[in-house]
Amino acid sequence: MTSSPPNDAQRASERARWQAFAVCVAVAAITILDISKVNVGLPSIEVSLGAGPSQVQLIVAGYALAFGLTLVPSGRLGDIHSRKTMFLIGLAAFTIASVLCAVAPTIEFLLIGRIAQGFAAGIQMPQVLGLIQQLFQGKERSRAFGLFGGAVGAATAFGPSIGGLLIFLGGAHDGWRLLFWMNVPLGAIALVLAFRLLPGRQHHEKKRMELDLVGILLLGLATLALMLPFVLTTGNPSDDPRRWFWLVGGAAAAVAFVFWEKSYARRGKSPAVHFALFRHPSYRNGLLIVSAFYAGLPAAFLLIALYAQQGLHVPPLFAGLMTLPYTLIQAFVAWQSSRFI
């Protein structure tokens, strides 16, 4: 028995889904580009604004910290209310924060802009993943995630090279500002397309129509207390040793989070993190592998970018090209992986 060919309505629906997917992937790529290209610009920012070691770390770590703190609550809010609305809010905030970074007169102003960028990215990125799952099912979903991984890998690959090129064009002193100005027209175009193409309606499950505020707060405190002492570590003898006490508070918040989430689930409510997922070996082991992988890789890229420019005195453009072989292969493998899912 052969299936009937798709009619005009089905073809239009499929085209609309892939157009919405293209917008999601483009915004995710812009977000990833902002991380990888800024790494190359750190030495220029350090010289231009007179930044110290802690401030240079905060340009990267402040973004990551804000991003991590926002992911869970914004993802849940998107599930409960509207992923499209949260996506638009995050993208608009990211674009405005990019302007603040581009015009920053001091390193403190730039840090505020970068942290705002991190919060905005943390609002929009969960919506990208949620929208992909909302738009596609079955084999189409695996294909979509494969393409998504390829696009993210490509953005990671070309980010340092684009960053180095922009610094070359803008000059060693203020070329880093182009790294942020680049986001403004791209963000504006993406906002218009997202408003027009993203689906405004989504299915809501009754058991998910709630926000675990206490769980989210405890998770945020645990994450903040874990990351903060490392951000405050510069390697100088003047570093306050008392900063490591934050780890004790982080461990206490993590234990309280686990107990609260289990209690919350026993009451028939939907917790911020479903610990039942960890009973599945594929989920548990996959999470451990990915965590170990990303615990070291971003730091390696950051160190390569800094050492190449400050230690070997390599121009930013060539420093950005050093990681290109790795990331091109990563993009290709991510694209091909959908065949094996």
Side-chain angles (χ1 to χ4, degrees), residues 34 37-38 41 44-45 48-49 98-107 109-110 117 163 166-167 170-184:
D34 196 70
K37 70 188 179 187
V38 169
S44 298
I45 294 172
S48 176
L49 299 180
S98 296
V99 175
L100 295 179
C101 292
V103 301
T106 63
I107 186 62
F109 197 95
L110 177 60
Q117 270 191 321
L166 291 173
I167 293 172
H173 190 267
D174 282 324
W176 61 269
R177 297 184 187 275
L178 295 180
L179 304 177
F180 301 106
W181 280 123
M182 175 184 169
N183 297 335
V184 179

PDB file of all heavy atoms in Angstrom, residues 34 37-38 41 44-45 48-49 98-107 109-110 117 163 166-167 170-184:
ATOM      1  N   ASP A  34      28.936  34.432  19.428  1.00  0.00           N
ATOM      2  CA  ASP A  34      29.291  35.475  20.391  1.00  0.00           C
ATOM      3  C   ASP A  34      30.252  34.949  21.447  1.00  0.00           C
ATOM      4  O   ASP A  34      31.090  35.697  21.948  1.00  0.00           O
ATOM      5  CB  ASP A  34      28.027  36.016  21.061  1.00  0.00           C
ATOM      6  CG  ASP A  34      28.271  37.333  21.764  1.00  0.00           C
ATOM      7  OD1 ASP A  34      28.477  38.334  21.052  1.00  0.00           O
ATOM      8  OD2 ASP A  34      28.290  37.354  23.002  1.00  0.00           O
ATOM      9  N   LYS A  37      33.870  33.992  19.290  1.00  0.00           N
ATOM     10  CA  LYS A  37      34.612  35.118  18.703  1.00  0.00           C
ATOM     11  C   LYS A  37      35.140  36.071  19.771  1.00  0.00           C
ATOM     12  O   LYS A  37      36.199  36.688  19.588  1.00  0.00           O
ATOM     13  CB  LYS A  37      33.745  35.870  17.698  1.00  0.00           C
ATOM     14  CG  LYS A  37      32.598  36.664  18.288  1.00  0.00           C
ATOM     15  CD  LYS A  37      31.687  37.225  17.218  1.00  0.00           C
ATOM     16  CE  LYS A  37      30.525  38.002  17.838  1.00  0.00           C
ATOM     17  NZ  LYS A  37      29.524  38.423  16.866  1.00  0.00           N
ATOM     18  N   VAL A  38      34.439  36.183  20.904  1.00  0.00           N
ATOM     19  CA  VAL A  38      34.898  37.085  21.968  1.00  0.00           C
ATOM     20  C   VAL A  38      36.187  36.574  22.602  1.00  0.00           C
ATOM     21  O   VAL A  38      37.019  37.361  23.055  1.00  0.00           O
ATOM     22  CB  VAL A  38      33.790  37.286  23.017  1.00  0.00           C
ATOM     23  CG1 VAL A  38      34.315  38.001  24.263  1.00  0.00           C
ATOM     24  CG2 VAL A  38      32.644  38.097  22.418  1.00  0.00           C
ATOM     25  N   GLY A  41      39.025  38.173  21.096  1.00  0.00           N
ATOM     26  CA  GLY A  41      39.112  39.602  21.352  1.00  0.00           C
ATOM     27  C   GLY A  41      39.563  39.977  22.748  1.00  0.00           C
ATOM     28  O   GLY A  41      39.772  41.171  23.030  1.00  0.00           O
ATOM     29  N   SER A  44      42.743  42.209  23.119  1.00  0.00           N
ATOM     30  CA  SER A  44      42.483  43.584  22.666  1.00  0.00           C
ATOM     31  C   SER A  44      41.659  44.354  23.690  1.00  0.00           C
ATOM     32  O   SER A  44      41.915  45.534  23.951  1.00  0.00           O
ATOM     33  CB  SER A  44      41.754  43.563  21.322  1.00  0.00           C
ATOM     34  OG  SER A  44      42.542  42.951  20.330  1.00  0.00           O
ATOM     35  N   ILE A  45      40.656  43.685  24.280  1.00  0.00           N
ATOM     36  CA  ILE A  45      39.839  44.331  25.314  1.00  0.00           C
ATOM     37  C   ILE A  45      40.693  44.674  26.530  1.00  0.00           C
ATOM     38  O   ILE A  45      40.554  45.750  27.123  1.00  0.00           O
ATOM     39  CB  ILE A  45      38.669  43.405  25.713  1.00  0.00           C
ATOM     40  CG1 ILE A  45      37.700  43.228  24.532  1.00  0.00           C
ATOM     41  CG2 ILE A  45      37.933  43.945  26.930  1.00  0.00           C
ATOM     42  CD1 ILE A  45      36.636  42.180  24.763  1.00  0.00           C
ATOM     43  N   SER A  48      42.712  47.747  25.561  1.00  0.00           N
ATOM     44  CA  SER A  48      41.882  48.916  25.274  1.00  0.00           C
ATOM     45  C   SER A  48      41.255  49.510  26.525  1.00  0.00           C
ATOM     46  O   SER A  48      41.232  50.733  26.702  1.00  0.00           O
ATOM     47  CB  SER A  48      40.790  48.547  24.276  1.00  0.00           C
ATOM     48  OG  SER A  48      39.918  49.616  24.031  1.00  0.00           O
ATOM     49  N   LEU A  49      40.752  48.648  27.417  1.00  0.00           N
ATOM     50  CA  LEU A  49      40.033  49.129  28.593  1.00  0.00           C
ATOM     51  C   LEU A  49      40.824  48.972  29.887  1.00  0.00           C
ATOM     52  O   LEU A  49      40.304  49.266  30.968  1.00  0.00           O
ATOM     53  CB  LEU A  49      38.685  48.400  28.716  1.00  0.00           C
ATOM     54  CG  LEU A  49      37.705  48.584  27.555  1.00  0.00           C
ATOM     55  CD1 LEU A  49      36.416  47.812  27.821  1.00  0.00           C
ATOM     56  CD2 LEU A  49      37.392  50.062  27.326  1.00  0.00           C
ATOM     57  N   SER A  98      24.086  43.646  23.350  1.00  0.00           N
ATOM     58  CA  SER A  98      25.217  43.733  22.424  1.00  0.00           C
ATOM     59  C   SER A  98      25.581  45.185  22.141  1.00  0.00           C
ATOM     60  O   SER A  98      26.763  45.532  22.012  1.00  0.00           O
ATOM     61  CB  SER A  98      24.886  43.005  21.115  1.00  0.00           C
ATOM     62  OG  SER A  98      24.695  41.617  21.325  1.00  0.00           O
ATOM     63  N   VAL A  99      24.569  46.054  22.037  1.00  0.00           N
ATOM     64  CA  VAL A  99      24.827  47.480  21.844  1.00  0.00           C
ATOM     65  C   VAL A  99      25.571  48.046  23.056  1.00  0.00           C
ATOM     66  O   VAL A  99      26.537  48.813  22.915  1.00  0.00           O
ATOM     67  CB  VAL A  99      23.511  48.247  21.601  1.00  0.00           C
ATOM     68  CG1 VAL A  99      23.769  49.750  21.534  1.00  0.00           C
ATOM     69  CG2 VAL A  99      22.836  47.773  20.330  1.00  0.00           C
ATOM     70  N   LEU A 100      25.132  47.656  24.253  1.00  0.00           N
ATOM     71  CA  LEU A 100      25.797  48.132  25.477  1.00  0.00           C
ATOM     72  C   LEU A 100      27.261  47.707  25.501  1.00  0.00           C
ATOM     73  O   LEU A 100      28.139  48.490  25.898  1.00  0.00           O
ATOM     74  CB  LEU A 100      25.071  47.585  26.710  1.00  0.00           C
ATOM     75  CG  LEU A 100      23.631  48.059  26.934  1.00  0.00           C
ATOM     76  CD1 LEU A 100      23.047  47.398  28.175  1.00  0.00           C
ATOM     77  CD2 LEU A 100      23.570  49.577  27.058  1.00  0.00           C
ATOM     78  N   CYS A 101      27.537  46.474  25.082  1.00  0.00           N
ATOM     79  CA  CYS A 101      28.922  46.002  25.044  1.00  0.00           C
ATOM     80  C   CYS A 101      29.733  46.776  24.007  1.00  0.00           C
ATOM     81  O   CYS A 101      30.895  47.126  24.238  1.00  0.00           O
ATOM     82  CB  CYS A 101      28.958  44.512  24.716  1.00  0.00           C
ATOM     83  SG  CYS A 101      28.302  43.435  26.008  1.00  0.00           S
ATOM     84  N   ALA A 102      29.126  47.037  22.852  1.00  0.00           N
ATOM     85  CA  ALA A 102      29.846  47.694  21.762  1.00  0.00           C
ATOM     86  C   ALA A 102      30.262  49.122  22.111  1.00  0.00           C
ATOM     87  O   ALA A 102      31.302  49.592  21.655  1.00  0.00           O
ATOM     88  CB  ALA A 102      28.995  47.693  20.497  1.00  0.00           C
ATOM     89  N   VAL A 103      29.456  49.809  22.901  1.00  0.00           N
ATOM     90  CA  VAL A 103      29.756  51.214  23.224  1.00  0.00           C
ATOM     91  C   VAL A 103      30.388  51.364  24.599  1.00  0.00           C
ATOM     92  O   VAL A 103      30.571  52.489  25.073  1.00  0.00           O
ATOM     93  CB  VAL A 103      28.469  52.076  23.150  1.00  0.00           C
ATOM     94  CG1 VAL A 103      27.862  52.014  21.766  1.00  0.00           C
ATOM     95  CG2 VAL A 103      27.453  51.653  24.211  1.00  0.00           C
ATOM     96  N   ALA A 104      30.746  50.260  25.259  1.00  0.00           N
ATOM     97  CA  ALA A 104      31.235  50.307  26.639  1.00  0.00           C
ATOM     98  C   ALA A 104      32.450  51.213  26.774  1.00  0.00           C
ATOM     99  O   ALA A 104      33.478  50.990  26.122  1.00  0.00           O
ATOM    100  CB  ALA A 104      31.596  48.901  27.106  1.00  0.00           C
ATOM    101  N   PRO A 105      32.363  52.244  27.635  1.00  0.00           N
ATOM    102  CA  PRO A 105      33.516  53.139  27.824  1.00  0.00           C
ATOM    103  C   PRO A 105      34.524  52.604  28.835  1.00  0.00           C
ATOM    104  O   PRO A 105      35.678  53.024  28.855  1.00  0.00           O
ATOM    105  CB  PRO A 105      32.866  54.427  28.339  1.00  0.00           C
ATOM    106  CG  PRO A 105      31.638  53.954  29.062  1.00  0.00           C
ATOM    107  CD  PRO A 105      31.166  52.726  28.344  1.00  0.00           C
ATOM    108  N   THR A 106      34.085  51.685  29.711  1.00  0.00           N
ATOM    109  CA  THR A 106      34.962  51.138  30.750  1.00  0.00           C
ATOM    110  C   THR A 106      34.766  49.636  30.819  1.00  0.00           C
ATOM    111  O   THR A 106      33.782  49.081  30.313  1.00  0.00           O
ATOM    112  CB  THR A 106      34.639  51.736  32.135  1.00  0.00           C
ATOM    113  OG1 THR A 106      33.297  51.363  32.506  1.00  0.00           O
ATOM    114  CG2 THR A 106      34.752  53.259  32.112  1.00  0.00           C
ATOM    115  N   ILE A 107      35.699  48.960  31.476  1.00  0.00           N
ATOM    116  CA  ILE A 107      35.607  47.512  31.617  1.00  0.00           C
ATOM    117  C   ILE A 107      34.404  47.131  32.478  1.00  0.00           C
ATOM    118  O   ILE A 107      33.752  46.107  32.233  1.00  0.00           O
ATOM    119  CB  ILE A 107      36.920  46.930  32.205  1.00  0.00           C
ATOM    120  CG1 ILE A 107      36.862  45.404  32.216  1.00  0.00           C
ATOM    121  CG2 ILE A 107      37.197  47.482  33.578  1.00  0.00           C
ATOM    122  CD1 ILE A 107      36.730  44.766  30.865  1.00  0.00           C
ATOM    123  N   PHE A 109      31.509  48.656  32.640  1.00  0.00           N
ATOM    124  CA  PHE A 109      30.331  48.773  31.777  1.00  0.00           C
ATOM    125  C   PHE A 109      30.241  47.566  30.849  1.00  0.00           C
ATOM    126  O   PHE A 109      29.154  47.017  30.618  1.00  0.00           O
ATOM    127  CB  PHE A 109      30.428  50.069  30.958  1.00  0.00           C
ATOM    128  CG  PHE A 109      29.126  50.514  30.350  1.00  0.00           C
ATOM    129  CD1 PHE A 109      28.317  51.439  30.983  1.00  0.00           C
ATOM    130  CD2 PHE A 109      28.709  49.996  29.131  1.00  0.00           C
ATOM    131  CE1 PHE A 109      27.115  51.847  30.425  1.00  0.00           C
ATOM    132  CE2 PHE A 109      27.512  50.386  28.554  1.00  0.00           C
ATOM    133  CZ  PHE A 109      26.709  51.321  29.202  1.00  0.00           C
ATOM    134  N   LEU A 110      31.390  47.138  30.330  1.00  0.00           N
ATOM    135  CA  LEU A 110      31.408  45.965  29.448  1.00  0.00           C
ATOM    136  C   LEU A 110      30.982  44.708  30.197  1.00  0.00           C
ATOM    137  O   LEU A 110      30.242  43.869  29.659  1.00  0.00           O
ATOM    138  CB  LEU A 110      32.809  45.775  28.863  1.00  0.00           C
ATOM    139  CG  LEU A 110      33.001  44.542  27.961  1.00  0.00           C
ATOM    140  CD1 LEU A 110      32.078  44.591  26.748  1.00  0.00           C
ATOM    141  CD2 LEU A 110      34.458  44.423  27.517  1.00  0.00           C
ATOM    142  N   GLN A 117      24.040  39.964  28.416  1.00  0.00           N
ATOM    143  CA  GLN A 117      24.016  39.072  27.260  1.00  0.00           C
ATOM    144  C   GLN A 117      23.816  37.618  27.689  1.00  0.00           C
ATOM    145  O   GLN A 117      23.076  36.871  27.048  1.00  0.00           O
ATOM    146  CB  GLN A 117      25.333  39.177  26.480  1.00  0.00           C
ATOM    147  CG  GLN A 117      25.363  40.214  25.386  1.00  0.00           C
ATOM    148  CD  GLN A 117      26.584  40.042  24.515  1.00  0.00           C
ATOM    149  OE1 GLN A 117      27.682  39.743  24.992  1.00  0.00           O
ATOM    150  NE2 GLN A 117      26.407  40.228  23.227  1.00  0.00           N
ATOM    151  N   GLY A 163      36.029  36.625  14.482  1.00  0.00           N
ATOM    152  CA  GLY A 163      36.492  37.578  15.490  1.00  0.00           C
ATOM    153  C   GLY A 163      37.841  38.183  15.134  1.00  0.00           C
ATOM    154  O   GLY A 163      38.042  39.393  15.236  1.00  0.00           O
ATOM    155  N   LEU A 166      37.420  40.675  12.247  1.00  0.00           N
ATOM    156  CA  LEU A 166      36.808  41.940  12.662  1.00  0.00           C
ATOM    157  C   LEU A 166      37.799  42.823  13.416  1.00  0.00           C
ATOM    158  O   LEU A 166      37.819  44.044  13.241  1.00  0.00           O
ATOM    159  CB  LEU A 166      35.575  41.663  13.527  1.00  0.00           C
ATOM    160  CG  LEU A 166      34.370  41.055  12.797  1.00  0.00           C
ATOM    161  CD1 LEU A 166      33.279  40.666  13.793  1.00  0.00           C
ATOM    162  CD2 LEU A 166      33.814  42.037  11.773  1.00  0.00           C
ATOM    163  N   ILE A 167      38.621  42.196  14.255  1.00  0.00           N
ATOM    164  CA  ILE A 167      39.639  42.974  14.981  1.00  0.00           C
ATOM    165  C   ILE A 167      40.668  43.529  14.000  1.00  0.00           C
ATOM    166  O   ILE A 167      41.126  44.671  14.126  1.00  0.00           O
ATOM    167  CB  ILE A 167      40.317  42.095  16.054  1.00  0.00           C
ATOM    168  CG1 ILE A 167      39.295  41.751  17.149  1.00  0.00           C
ATOM    169  CG2 ILE A 167      41.515  42.814  16.670  1.00  0.00           C
ATOM    170  CD1 ILE A 167      39.794  40.736  18.148  1.00  0.00           C
ATOM    171  N   GLY A 170      38.898  46.468  12.293  1.00  0.00           N
ATOM    172  CA  GLY A 170      38.610  47.603  13.177  1.00  0.00           C
ATOM    173  C   GLY A 170      39.819  48.175  13.876  1.00  0.00           C
ATOM    174  O   GLY A 170      39.717  49.248  14.483  1.00  0.00           O
ATOM    175  N   GLY A 171      40.931  47.465  13.829  1.00  0.00           N
ATOM    176  CA  GLY A 171      42.132  47.959  14.496  1.00  0.00           C
ATOM    177  C   GLY A 171      42.349  47.284  15.836  1.00  0.00           C
ATOM    178  O   GLY A 171      41.395  46.827  16.486  1.00  0.00           O
ATOM    179  N   ALA A 172      43.594  47.221  16.253  1.00  0.00           N
ATOM    180  CA  ALA A 172      43.948  46.499  17.479  1.00  0.00           C
ATOM    181  C   ALA A 172      43.339  47.121  18.731  1.00  0.00           C
ATOM    182  O   ALA A 172      43.086  46.433  19.716  1.00  0.00           O
ATOM    183  CB  ALA A 172      45.479  46.444  17.619  1.00  0.00           C
ATOM    184  N   HIS A 173      43.094  48.443  18.709  1.00  0.00           N
ATOM    185  CA  HIS A 173      42.613  49.117  19.920  1.00  0.00           C
ATOM    186  C   HIS A 173      41.105  49.009  20.093  1.00  0.00           C
ATOM    187  O   HIS A 173      40.613  48.695  21.181  1.00  0.00           O
ATOM    188  CB  HIS A 173      43.034  50.589  19.901  1.00  0.00           C
ATOM    189  CG  HIS A 173      42.796  51.282  21.202  1.00  0.00           C
ATOM    190  ND1 HIS A 173      41.639  51.982  21.494  1.00  0.00           N
ATOM    191  CD2 HIS A 173      43.575  51.377  22.308  1.00  0.00           C
ATOM    192  CE1 HIS A 173      41.717  52.466  22.724  1.00  0.00           C
ATOM    193  NE2 HIS A 173      42.885  52.131  23.236  1.00  0.00           N
ATOM    194  N   ASP A 174      40.337  49.263  19.044  1.00  0.00           N
ATOM    195  CA  ASP A 174      38.871  49.270  19.146  1.00  0.00           C
ATOM    196  C   ASP A 174      38.182  48.262  18.230  1.00  0.00           C
ATOM    197  O   ASP A 174      36.957  48.259  18.122  1.00  0.00           O
ATOM    198  CB  ASP A 174      38.322  50.667  18.831  1.00  0.00           C
ATOM    199  CG  ASP A 174      38.492  51.632  20.000  1.00  0.00           C
ATOM    200  OD1 ASP A 174      38.367  51.176  21.152  1.00  0.00           O
ATOM    201  OD2 ASP A 174      38.765  52.817  19.753  1.00  0.00           O
ATOM    202  N   GLY A 175      38.959  47.400  17.572  1.00  0.00           N
ATOM    203  CA  GLY A 175      38.347  46.410  16.678  1.00  0.00           C
ATOM    204  C   GLY A 175      37.435  45.434  17.397  1.00  0.00           C
ATOM    205  O   GLY A 175      36.496  44.894  16.805  1.00  0.00           O
ATOM    206  N   TRP A 176      37.690  45.216  18.694  1.00  0.00           N
ATOM    207  CA  TRP A 176      36.856  44.292  19.463  1.00  0.00           C
ATOM    208  C   TRP A 176      35.397  44.755  19.542  1.00  0.00           C
ATOM    209  O   TRP A 176      34.498  43.943  19.735  1.00  0.00           O
ATOM    210  CB  TRP A 176      37.410  44.110  20.881  1.00  0.00           C
ATOM    211  CG  TRP A 176      37.464  45.359  21.702  1.00  0.00           C
ATOM    212  CD1 TRP A 176      38.504  46.226  21.800  1.00  0.00           C
ATOM    213  CD2 TRP A 176      36.417  45.894  22.528  1.00  0.00           C
ATOM    214  NE1 TRP A 176      38.189  47.278  22.640  1.00  0.00           N
ATOM    215  CE2 TRP A 176      36.916  47.093  23.109  1.00  0.00           C
ATOM    216  CE3 TRP A 176      35.128  45.479  22.839  1.00  0.00           C
ATOM    217  CZ2 TRP A 176      36.163  47.867  23.971  1.00  0.00           C
ATOM    218  CZ3 TRP A 176      34.375  46.253  23.702  1.00  0.00           C
ATOM    219  CH2 TRP A 176      34.877  47.434  24.258  1.00  0.00           C
ATOM    220  N   ARG A 177      35.169  46.057  19.378  1.00  0.00           N
ATOM    221  CA  ARG A 177      33.789  46.556  19.437  1.00  0.00           C
ATOM    222  C   ARG A 177      32.947  46.010  18.274  1.00  0.00           C
ATOM    223  O   ARG A 177      31.730  45.843  18.412  1.00  0.00           O
ATOM    224  CB  ARG A 177      33.781  48.083  19.425  1.00  0.00           C
ATOM    225  CG  ARG A 177      34.470  48.697  20.646  1.00  0.00           C
ATOM    226  CD  ARG A 177      34.366  50.214  20.657  1.00  0.00           C
ATOM    227  NE  ARG A 177      35.160  50.782  21.739  1.00  0.00           N
ATOM    228  CZ  ARG A 177      34.724  50.933  23.001  1.00  0.00           C
ATOM    229  NH1 ARG A 177      33.485  50.564  23.304  1.00  0.00           N
ATOM    230  NH2 ARG A 177      35.497  51.450  23.930  1.00  0.00           N
ATOM    231  N   LEU A 178      33.588  45.724  17.155  1.00  0.00           N
ATOM    232  CA  LEU A 178      32.872  45.156  16.011  1.00  0.00           C
ATOM    233  C   LEU A 178      32.339  43.758  16.330  1.00  0.00           C
ATOM    234  O   LEU A 178      31.361  43.311  15.714  1.00  0.00           O
ATOM    235  CB  LEU A 178      33.785  45.094  14.783  1.00  0.00           C
ATOM    236  CG  LEU A 178      34.248  46.438  14.208  1.00  0.00           C
ATOM    237  CD1 LEU A 178      35.153  46.214  13.001  1.00  0.00           C
ATOM    238  CD2 LEU A 178      33.052  47.297  13.806  1.00  0.00           C
ATOM    239  N   LEU A 179      32.965  43.061  17.280  1.00  0.00           N
ATOM    240  CA  LEU A 179      32.478  41.741  17.688  1.00  0.00           C
ATOM    241  C   LEU A 179      31.041  41.827  18.196  1.00  0.00           C
ATOM    242  O   LEU A 179      30.244  40.903  18.009  1.00  0.00           O
ATOM    243  CB  LEU A 179      33.378  41.156  18.774  1.00  0.00           C
ATOM    244  CG  LEU A 179      34.870  41.018  18.472  1.00  0.00           C
ATOM    245  CD1 LEU A 179      35.607  40.482  19.681  1.00  0.00           C
ATOM    246  CD2 LEU A 179      35.092  40.131  17.263  1.00  0.00           C
ATOM    247  N   PHE A 180      30.721  42.929  18.856  1.00  0.00           N
ATOM    248  CA  PHE A 180      29.385  43.109  19.418  1.00  0.00           C
ATOM    249  C   PHE A 180      28.453  43.834  18.455  1.00  0.00           C
ATOM    250  O   PHE A 180      27.255  43.539  18.403  1.00  0.00           O
ATOM    251  CB  PHE A 180      29.483  43.860  20.749  1.00  0.00           C
ATOM    252  CG  PHE A 180      30.320  43.160  21.770  1.00  0.00           C
ATOM    253  CD1 PHE A 180      31.591  43.619  22.107  1.00  0.00           C
ATOM    254  CD2 PHE A 180      29.856  42.013  22.396  1.00  0.00           C
ATOM    255  CE1 PHE A 180      32.371  42.973  23.042  1.00  0.00           C
ATOM    256  CE2 PHE A 180      30.634  41.344  23.338  1.00  0.00           C
ATOM    257  CZ  PHE A 180      31.890  41.826  23.656  1.00  0.00           C
ATOM    258  N   TRP A 181      29.011  44.800  17.690  1.00  0.00           N
ATOM    259  CA  TRP A 181      28.163  45.473  16.697  1.00  0.00           C
ATOM    260  C   TRP A 181      27.618  44.484  15.680  1.00  0.00           C
ATOM    261  O   TRP A 181      26.515  44.672  15.153  1.00  0.00           O
ATOM    262  CB  TRP A 181      28.959  46.568  15.985  1.00  0.00           C
ATOM    263  CG  TRP A 181      29.103  47.855  16.726  1.00  0.00           C
ATOM    264  CD1 TRP A 181      30.258  48.484  17.074  1.00  0.00           C
ATOM    265  CD2 TRP A 181      28.040  48.692  17.220  1.00  0.00           C
ATOM    266  NE1 TRP A 181      29.993  49.647  17.762  1.00  0.00           N
ATOM    267  CE2 TRP A 181      28.628  49.809  17.863  1.00  0.00           C
ATOM    268  CE3 TRP A 181      26.650  48.599  17.189  1.00  0.00           C
ATOM    269  CZ2 TRP A 181      27.885  50.820  18.457  1.00  0.00           C
ATOM    270  CZ3 TRP A 181      25.908  49.611  17.794  1.00  0.00           C
ATOM    271  CH2 TRP A 181      26.519  50.699  18.406  1.00  0.00           C
ATOM    272  N   MET A 182      28.356  43.419  15.408  1.00  0.00           N
ATOM    273  CA  MET A 182      27.921  42.416  14.440  1.00  0.00           C
ATOM    274  C   MET A 182      26.576  41.800  14.830  1.00  0.00           C
ATOM    275  O   MET A 182      25.755  41.455  13.976  1.00  0.00           O
ATOM    276  CB  MET A 182      28.988  41.319  14.330  1.00  0.00           C
ATOM    277  CG  MET A 182      28.616  40.147  13.448  1.00  0.00           C
ATOM    278  SD  MET A 182      29.912  38.887  13.489  1.00  0.00           S
ATOM    279  CE  MET A 182      29.056  37.538  12.664  1.00  0.00           C
ATOM    280  N   ASN A 183      26.336  41.682  16.139  1.00  0.00           N
ATOM    281  CA  ASN A 183      25.096  41.051  16.609  1.00  0.00           C
ATOM    282  C   ASN A 183      23.861  41.909  16.356  1.00  0.00           C
ATOM    283  O   ASN A 183      22.744  41.375  16.308  1.00  0.00           O
ATOM    284  CB  ASN A 183      25.179  40.779  18.114  1.00  0.00           C
ATOM    285  CG  ASN A 183      26.278  39.811  18.466  1.00  0.00           C
ATOM    286  OD1 ASN A 183      26.689  39.001  17.646  1.00  0.00           O
ATOM    287  ND2 ASN A 183      26.773  39.903  19.696  1.00  0.00           N
ATOM    288  N   VAL A 184      24.042  43.211  16.231  1.00  0.00           N
ATOM    289  CA  VAL A 184      22.899  44.128  16.196  1.00  0.00           C
ATOM    290  C   VAL A 184      22.059  43.957  14.922  1.00  0.00           C
ATOM    291  O   VAL A 184      20.850  43.699  15.012  1.00  0.00           O
ATOM    292  CB  VAL A 184      23.355  45.579  16.390  1.00  0.00           C
ATOM    293  CG1 VAL A 184      22.160  46.530  16.323  1.00  0.00           C
ATOM    294  CG2 VAL A 184      24.070  45.729  17.738  1.00  0.00           C
TER     295      VAL A 184
END
